[in-house]
Protein backbone atom coordinates (compact mmCIF):
# COMPACT_ATOMS: atom_id res chain seq x y z
CA UNK A 1 0.00 0.00 0.00
CA UNK A 2 1.21 3.48 -0.82
CA UNK A 3 2.20 5.77 2.01
CA UNK A 4 -0.26 8.64 2.18
CA UNK A 5 -0.05 12.11 3.70
CA UNK A 6 -2.11 15.19 4.28
CA UNK A 7 -0.17 18.42 3.69
CA UNK A 8 -1.10 21.81 4.99
CA UNK A 9 -2.89 24.00 2.43
CA UNK A 10 -0.62 25.94 0.08
CA UNK A 11 -2.61 29.14 0.62
CA UNK A 12 -5.16 30.36 3.15
CA UNK A 13 -7.95 29.90 0.59
CA UNK A 14 -7.05 26.33 -0.38
CA UNK A 15 -7.78 23.02 1.35
CA UNK A 16 -5.22 20.58 2.80
CA UNK A 17 -3.85 18.20 0.17
CA UNK A 18 -4.26 14.42 0.54
CA UNK A 19 -1.59 12.68 -1.51
CA UNK A 20 0.70 9.72 -1.91
CA UNK A 21 4.20 10.32 -0.55
CA UNK A 22 5.61 9.35 -3.94
CA UNK A 23 4.09 12.51 -5.47
CA UNK A 24 6.62 14.55 -3.49
CA UNK A 25 9.52 12.96 -5.38
CA UNK A 26 11.56 15.55 -7.30
CA UNK A 27 9.75 18.46 -5.59
CA UNK A 28 10.44 17.98 -1.88
CA UNK A 29 12.87 16.50 0.58
CA UNK A 30 10.87 14.54 3.15
CA UNK A 31 12.03 14.11 6.74
CA UNK A 32 10.14 11.50 8.75
CA UNK A 33 10.59 11.71 12.52
CA UNK A 34 9.02 8.83 14.43
CA UNK A 35 8.84 8.73 18.19
CA UNK A 36 6.70 8.69 21.29
CA UNK A 37 4.55 11.63 22.42
CA UNK A 38 7.46 13.86 23.52
CA UNK A 39 9.35 13.34 20.22
CA UNK A 40 6.12 13.85 18.24
CA UNK A 41 5.43 17.19 19.98
CA UNK A 42 9.07 18.35 19.84
CA UNK A 43 9.22 17.61 16.11
CA UNK A 44 6.08 19.65 15.44
CA UNK A 45 7.22 22.57 17.59
CA UNK A 46 10.76 22.71 16.18
CA UNK A 47 9.57 22.37 12.57
CA UNK A 48 7.16 25.27 13.07
CA UNK A 49 9.99 27.37 14.55
CA UNK A 50 12.18 26.53 11.52
CA UNK A 51 9.43 26.90 8.90
CA UNK A 52 11.31 29.46 6.80
CA UNK A 53 14.51 27.43 6.45
CA UNK A 54 12.50 24.27 5.74
CA UNK A 55 10.42 26.00 3.04
CA UNK A 56 13.53 27.55 1.45
CA UNK A 57 15.04 24.07 1.16
CA UNK A 58 11.86 22.28 0.03
CA UNK A 59 11.69 20.16 3.20
CA UNK A 60 8.42 18.54 4.30
CA UNK A 61 8.42 17.21 7.87
CA UNK A 62 6.31 14.16 8.70
CA UNK A 63 6.00 13.51 12.45
CA UNK A 64 4.94 9.92 13.19
CA UNK A 65 3.58 9.06 16.62
CA UNK A 66 4.79 5.71 17.97
CA UNK A 67 3.11 3.84 20.79
CA UNK A 68 5.50 4.06 23.75
CA UNK A 69 5.16 0.36 24.66
CA UNK A 70 5.15 -1.41 21.30
CA UNK A 71 6.90 1.20 19.10
CA UNK A 72 4.19 0.68 16.49
CA UNK A 73 2.51 3.58 14.70
CA UNK A 74 -0.19 5.07 16.91
CA UNK A 75 -3.26 5.94 14.78
CA UNK A 76 -4.06 8.96 16.97
CA UNK A 77 -1.10 10.73 15.35
CA UNK A 78 -2.52 10.21 11.86
CA UNK A 79 -4.93 12.50 10.00
CA UNK A 80 -8.06 13.08 12.07
CA UNK A 81 -6.60 11.37 15.15
CA UNK A 82 -6.72 12.93 18.61
CA UNK A 83 -2.96 13.61 18.89
CA UNK A 84 -2.78 15.05 15.36
CA UNK A 85 -5.77 17.30 16.01
CA UNK A 86 -4.48 18.38 19.42
CA UNK A 87 -1.16 19.40 17.82
CA UNK A 88 -2.90 21.29 15.00
CA UNK A 89 -1.73 19.01 12.19
CA UNK A 90 -1.24 19.39 9.32
CA UNK A 91 -1.06 23.09 10.15
CA UNK A 92 -1.79 26.44 8.62
CA UNK A 93 -1.15 27.50 5.03
CA UNK A 94 2.48 27.14 4.09
CA UNK A 95 3.35 24.92 7.06
CA UNK A 96 6.30 22.56 6.48
CA UNK A 97 4.36 19.79 8.24
CA UNK A 98 2.42 16.88 6.82
CA UNK A 99 0.45 14.25 8.73
CA UNK A 100 0.31 10.53 7.99
CA UNK A 101 -2.82 8.88 6.61
CA UNK A 102 -3.30 5.17 7.25
CA UNK A 103 -1.36 4.04 10.32
CA UNK A 104 -1.22 0.41 9.13
CA UNK A 105 0.72 1.24 5.95
CA UNK A 106 3.09 3.54 7.82
CA UNK A 107 3.62 0.92 10.51
CA UNK A 108 4.50 -1.72 7.91
CA UNK A 109 6.93 0.67 6.20
CA UNK A 110 8.64 1.72 9.45
CA UNK A 111 8.72 -1.73 11.07
CA UNK A 112 12.21 -2.72 9.80
CA UNK A 113 13.66 0.69 10.72
CA UNK A 114 12.23 0.42 14.25
CA UNK A 115 13.49 -3.17 14.64
CA UNK A 116 16.97 -2.18 13.44
CA UNK A 117 17.11 0.73 15.91
CA UNK A 118 16.01 -1.54 18.74
CA UNK A 119 18.65 -4.16 17.80
CA UNK A 120 21.26 -1.38 18.08
CA UNK A 121 20.12 -0.50 21.59
CA UNK A 122 17.88 2.48 20.79
CA UNK A 123 14.25 2.84 21.80
CA UNK A 124 12.71 4.78 18.88
CA UNK A 125 9.65 5.78 20.93
CA UNK A 126 11.93 7.35 23.56
CA UNK A 127 14.77 8.91 21.51
CA UNK A 128 13.14 9.24 18.10
CA UNK A 129 14.07 7.90 14.71
CA UNK A 130 14.72 10.27 11.80
CA UNK A 131 14.70 9.23 8.15
CA UNK A 132 15.73 11.97 5.72
CA UNK A 133 14.64 11.33 2.12
CA UNK A 134 16.25 13.15 -0.81
CA UNK A 135 14.26 14.47 -3.77
CA UNK A 136 15.28 11.33 -5.65
CA UNK A 137 13.31 9.24 -3.14
CA UNK A 138 16.41 7.62 -1.65
CA UNK A 139 17.03 7.74 2.10
CA UNK A 140 19.97 10.07 2.65
CA UNK A 141 20.29 9.73 6.40
CA UNK A 142 19.07 7.70 9.34
CA UNK A 143 19.57 9.05 12.83
CA UNK A 144 18.06 9.28 16.27
CA UNK A 145 16.54 12.38 17.92
CA UNK A 146 14.77 15.39 16.44
CA UNK A 147 17.18 16.94 13.93
CA UNK A 148 18.67 20.42 13.85
CA UNK A 149 16.61 21.58 10.88
CA UNK A 150 19.02 24.11 9.35
CA UNK A 151 21.90 21.63 9.35
CA UNK A 152 19.78 18.80 7.95
CA UNK A 153 18.22 21.01 5.24
CA UNK A 154 21.69 22.10 4.09
CA UNK A 155 22.95 18.49 4.15
CA UNK A 156 20.01 17.28 2.03
CA UNK A 157 20.39 20.11 -0.49
CA UNK A 158 24.08 19.30 -0.85
CA UNK A 159 23.38 15.56 -1.20
CA UNK A 160 20.87 16.23 -3.99
CA UNK A 161 23.25 18.60 -5.79
CA UNK A 162 26.28 16.32 -5.51
CA UNK A 163 24.56 13.30 -6.99
CA UNK A 164 22.93 14.70 -10.08
CA UNK A 165 19.57 15.89 -8.77
CA UNK A 166 18.89 19.02 -10.78
CA UNK A 167 17.70 22.18 -9.06
CA UNK A 168 14.18 22.33 -10.41
CA UNK A 169 13.78 26.00 -11.27
CA UNK A 170 15.40 27.19 -8.05
CA UNK A 171 18.69 28.44 -9.51
CA UNK A 172 20.65 26.45 -6.92
Amino acid sequence: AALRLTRAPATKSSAPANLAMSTLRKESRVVIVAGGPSIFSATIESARESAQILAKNDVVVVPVLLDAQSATVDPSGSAGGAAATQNGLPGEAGSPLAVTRGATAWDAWLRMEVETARSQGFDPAEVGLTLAVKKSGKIARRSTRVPQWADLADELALADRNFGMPAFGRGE
Side-chain angles (χ1 to χ4, degrees):
L3 296 177
R4 301 206 51 87
L5 303 167
T6 297
R7 276 190 82 176
T11 64
K12 289 183 180 181
S13 61
S14 60
N18 296 323
L19 46 106
M21 192 166 123
S22 62
T23 62
L24 297 176
R25 192 169 294 141
K26 295 186 181 177
E27 83 174 44
S28 298
R29 298 166 178 104
V30 179
V31 180
I32 300 158
V33 184
S38 63
I39 298 295
F40 186 73
S41 296
T43 300
I44 294 165
E45 183 179 327
S46 66
R48 285 183 174 142
E49 290 170 0
S50 301
Q52 286 184 318
I53 191 82
L54 294 170
K56 177 183 173 229
N57 287 285
D58 303 323
V59 176
V60 174
V61 177
V62 182
V64 180
L65 181 60
L66 296 179
D67 178 88
Q69 300 304 110
S70 63
T72 57
V73 174
D74 183 336
S76 74
S78 292
T85 303
Q86 180 182 6
N87 283 282
L89 291 176
E92 298 176 3
S95 169
L97 293 161
V99 63
T100 59
R101 296 185 65 79
T104 304
W106 279 91
D107 188 59
W109 188 77
L110 281 169
R111 186 169 297 126
M112 185 183 301
E113 299 291 345
V114 167
E115 288 173 6
T116 298
R118 282 182 150 177
S119 74
Q120 295 172 349
F122 297 104
D123 179 356
E126 184 180 322
V127 299
L129 177 64
T130 298
L131 303 169
V133 183
K134 299 187 300 183
K135 286 185 175 183
S136 65
K138 305 265 187 220
I139 294 178
R141 177 179 174 195
R142 291 170 173 86
S143 61
T144 57
R145 312 223 183 280
V146 177
Q148 298 295 318
W149 296 114
D151 295 341
L152 182 58
D154 288 345
E155 181 182 318
L156 288 172
L158 182 62
D160 280 338
R161 223 175 287 129
N162 283 346
F163 297 101
M165 196 66 192
F168 294 101
R170 302 292 306 255
E172 294 179 14

